Amino acid sequence: MANRKPLISGNWKMHHTHLDAIAVVQKLAYTLNAADYERADVSVHPAFTALRSVQTLLDADSIPIALGAQDVHPADKGAFTGEVSPPMLAKLNVAYVIVGHSERRQYFGDTDAFVNEKLLAVLKHEMVPILCVGETLAEREAGLIEDKVVGQLGAAFAGVSAQAAAGVVVAYEPIWAIGTGRTASPDDAQAVCKAIRSWLSGHYGSDVADRVRVQYGGSVTPANIAELMSQADIDGALVGGASLDAERFAPIVRLGRTGG
């Protein structure tokens, strides 16, 4: 990789109360060491109800783990019952915000246009979007992988300047591999991540493309992280189930830190 520091992110989805979240972060901080943080950036993405508790812990103990959110509404404020705004997250020192996760697209109707609104809002409030893109099994079998991913990229980056684009993280998450125990082969994952970087280069130039970190997400475990991270265009991982337990997540951070 071109001097891209790996980013290993734990997406906890709808798991862990605020007390559980505190316990996981404490154990994770105890397990990881300075060398791990030096070679990889780490973020955890608790449920909204746990963000304040985790933020307080990270700040009080100066733990070098970044706080992330799982989603956001694009408006700064308004009559949107149940939603959370970008300024609310920014005030909690949230560094990374996941946008366009396949579960948001599938279960909650997030369109490509809405994902673009969210991405622009996250950038506006000086947080880093982790933009998720990926294909279904049917799309993969029909040979439409790159068409789907490129379409999602084009929609999500609409209105994003080259300077801003360089700071976005893109997570390739084949939908058929999320929570199924199935993982794209390292070669298959690399092929799509390379296509993502090629699209970025074509739209923003090679300098921007070289700076963007591209994660892989989809049943990442301690057993497969090293091989995935050995690929030239994979700069980290968006980890689901294996990030819920510090004893499983810490080895992923450690094995993923030397990728590329």
Side-chain angles (χ1 to χ4, degrees), residues 3-222:
N3 299 317
R4 296 185 297 270
K5 188 176 183 181
L7 172 63
I8 310 296
S9 304
N11 177 18
W12 293 352
K13 307 189 181 183
M14 200 172 71
H15 297 281
H16 292 332
T17 66
H18 75 288
L19 296 174
D20 296 330
I22 289 171
V24 171
V25 172
Q26 286 176 326
K27 190 168 186 178
L28 186 61
Y30 177 79
T31 305
L32 297 176
N33 57 44
D36 298 323
Y37 297 123
E38 181 180 349
R39 299 181 187 179
D41 290 331
V42 184
S43 67
V44 293
H45 299 248
F48 286 137
T49 55
L51 283 175
R52 175 59 173 164
S53 297
V54 172
Q55 180 224 350
T56 300
L57 172 62
L58 294 176
D59 290 351
D61 292 354
S62 298
I63 299 171
I65 294 174
L67 183 61
Q70 298 177 20
D71 190 35
V72 69
H73 191 281
D76 284 359
K77 60 183 177 180
F80 302 106
T81 300
E83 293 295 318
V84 173
S85 73
M88 293 173 182
L89 298 180
K91 284 293 185 181
L92 288 173
N93 296 333
V94 165
Y96 297 95
V97 183
I98 298 171
V99 296
H101 193 281
S102 62
E103 290 161 0
R104 296 298 314 177
R105 296 176 190 261
Q106 179 180 355
Y107 302 135
F108 303 100
D110 282 17
T111 63
D112 285 342
F114 198 42
V115 171
N116 172 246
E117 289 184 50
K118 291 182 178 185
L119 188 144
L120 291 171
V122 172
L123 289 171
K124 173 186 172 183
H125 290 278
E126 301 183 337
M127 297 176 288
V128 175
I130 297 179
L131 168 67
C132 297
V133 296
E135 81 285 359
T136 65
L137 183 58
E139 289 164 340
R140 167 168 283 267
E141 292 176 341
L144 300 175
I145 305 169
E146 290 193 19
D147 289 346
K148 174 66 175 290
V149 170
V150 164
Q152 290 177 323
L153 289 171
F157 277 95
V160 177
S161 68
Q163 181 179 359
V168 175
V169 176
V170 179
Y172 168 53
E173 44 156 24
I175 297 169
W176 50 271
I178 298 172
T180 64
R182 299 178 62 183
T183 309
S185 73
D187 288 344
D188 287 343
Q190 162 60 19
V192 180
C193 291
K194 183 178 180 179
I196 290 169
R197 204 173 304 283
S198 177
W199 183 90
L200 290 165
S201 180
H203 283 73
Y204 294 110
S206 59
D207 180 61
V208 169
D210 285 343
R211 290 165 60 190
V212 171
R213 294 190 283 190
V214 181
Q215 297 177 313
Y216 170 78
S219 298
V220 175
T221 69

